[in-house]
Amino acid sequence: MNKKLAAAIQRDNELEDAGMHGDDRRTCWTHQSWAEDCEDAHTKRGVDSNSRPA
C-alpha cells in the first residue's frame, strides 16, 4: 500500500466516523484499496443475490 492510499483510507475512516455514509467512501476498508478497483467484488446495497427475475 502506498502513502497516498493509506492517507485516503484514514481520511475516509475519519469522515465515516463523523457521519459520512459508507457508500460514499473513495477507498475500500475491507480490501484496503481504492473503491473503484474492487466495486465488482461487493454486493450492491438492496440487491438480493439469491433472487430471480419474475
Side-chain angles (χ1 to χ4, degrees), residues 3-54:
K3 290 181 181 184
K4 184 176 179 179
L5 176 57
I9 289 171
Q10 181 61 36
R11 185 174 50 250
D12 277 355
N13 290 344
E14 292 168 359
L15 289 170
E16 195 170 7
D17 287 345
M20 177 182 78
H21 194 281
D23 285 352
D24 295 330
R25 292 181 68 100
R26 292 180 50 219
T27 61
C28 175
W29 183 84
T30 302
H31 297 111
Q32 299 292 289
S33 64
W34 295 104
E36 64 186 25
D37 292 343
C38 68
E39 70 181 314
D40 292 335
H42 297 276
T43 303
K44 301 292 184 200
R45 187 170 47 162
V47 175
D48 180 2
S49 62
N50 294 322
S51 66
R52 295 182 182 188

